[in-house]
Amino acid sequence: MKVLLVEDDHPLAEALAEALRNVGVLVEIAPDGKTADFQVSVECYDAIILDLGLPDGNGVQWLSGWRARGMDLPVLILTARERWSDKAAGFSAGADDYVTKPFETAEVLLRLRALVRRSHGHAHPVITVGDLTLDTHTGRFTYLGMPVSLSAQEFRLLSYLIHAAPRIVSRTELSEHVYDQDQEPDSNVIDVQISRLRKKLDSDSIRTVRGQGYCLPGHPTAP
Ligand code: CA
């Protein structure tokens, strides 16, 4: 999962980013609306965390502009304590959820995971495709009922594929959502990680579709 965090409070942004990175989320920080506006136009994110009080305008105004341009990413807004008017304005502008400052990072993570899951059309927090299951609440994979130990990048890769299943995901799309912008992976890196995942799971667990990309074989099933 790759997230844009729009927050001008530097210590708060760094603390939240670090907590999210510790659980394998890629986080880029934009300190103001203008930077965020540029970032959302050139980068692929899975969600946006948006502070409402920004130095160059209210987050609600920036969000309205993005929605007007057709940006349909899930947006989680950060609001000051108990300001119902802020929350209402945020929802009117197209926010999907909110957390109130001060917040627990665990709550931000849970809400983010739920937003991303729902944006892929999954109503239930547990996603199962074939023998592979992801519990989006705990962030853990099981294969044939057994826990699977994954590196952060392997987790992002497999997580992206299971959210997208049964759709075929191209290497370009994978690299945009699974790697940092300065990592610039070539397709070889992705191939290596896919083969490592196949060793951890099963050789048939991830299908290569020649010239198109990768997919998990099968449709998501309800638990
Ligand atoms: Ca602020």
Side-chain angles (χ1 to χ4, degrees), residues 7-8 51 53 101:
E7 170 62 78
D8 60 312
D51 177 38
K101 290 180 181 178

Side-chain angles (χ1 to χ4, degrees), residues 117-206:
R117 166 172 60 77
R118 286 199 296 266
S119 74
H120 285 271
H122 300 286
H124 196 276
V126 177
I127 306 172
T128 296
V129 176
D131 296 323
L132 184 68
T133 296
L134 169 64
D135 183 331
T136 61
H137 273 175
T138 60
R140 298 207 190 288
F141 274 101
T142 52
Y143 190 71
L144 291 164
M146 300 293 287
V148 189
S149 164
L150 300 169
S151 73
Q153 280 199 345
E154 288 166 351
F155 177 84
R156 283 197 291 272
L157 215 157
L158 198 56
S159 179
Y160 197 80
L161 288 174
I162 202 171
H163 276 87
R167 186 167 64 81
I168 300 165
V169 181
S170 72
R171 284 187 175 81
T172 309
E173 183 179 342
L174 268 183
S175 66
E176 282 166 347
H177 288 270
V178 171
Y179 301 91
D180 260 324
Q181 63 187 130
D182 42 351
Q183 282 179 305
E184 296 276 327
D186 52 29
S187 59
N188 189 38
V189 172
I190 297 178
D191 291 343
V192 167
Q193 279 179 339
I194 293 277
S195 64
R196 234 183 258 149
L197 281 170
R198 283 180 179 137
K199 277 190 193 121
K200 289 188 176 181
L201 306 171
D202 191 294
S203 56
D204 305 327
S205 54
I206 302 170

Side-chain angles (χ1 to χ4, degrees), residues 23-40:
V23 290
V25 179
L26 291 178
V27 184
E28 288 171 8
I29 300 172
D32 52 46
K34 193 161 179 263
T35 309
D37 194 52
F38 174 73
Q39 289 292 95
V40 294

Side-chain angles (χ1 to χ4, degrees), residues 85-120:
S85 56
D86 276 359
K87 294 169 197 163
F91 281 118
S92 308
D96 299 280
D97 201 357
Y98 69 88
V99 286
T100 306
K101 290 180 181 178
F103 49 77
E104 296 289 333
T105 52
E107 183 185 358
V108 174
L109 180 65
L110 279 178
R111 290 182 184 278
L112 265 185
R113 283 175 171 162
L115 286 179
V116 170
R117 166 172 60 77
R118 286 199 296 266
S119 74
H120 285 271

Side-chain angles (χ1 to χ4, degrees), residues 6-9 12 31 51-55 78 101:
V6 192
E7 170 62 78
D8 60 312
D9 181 336
L12 189 150
D51 177 38
L52 292 186
L54 294 170
L78 305 178
K101 290 180 181 178

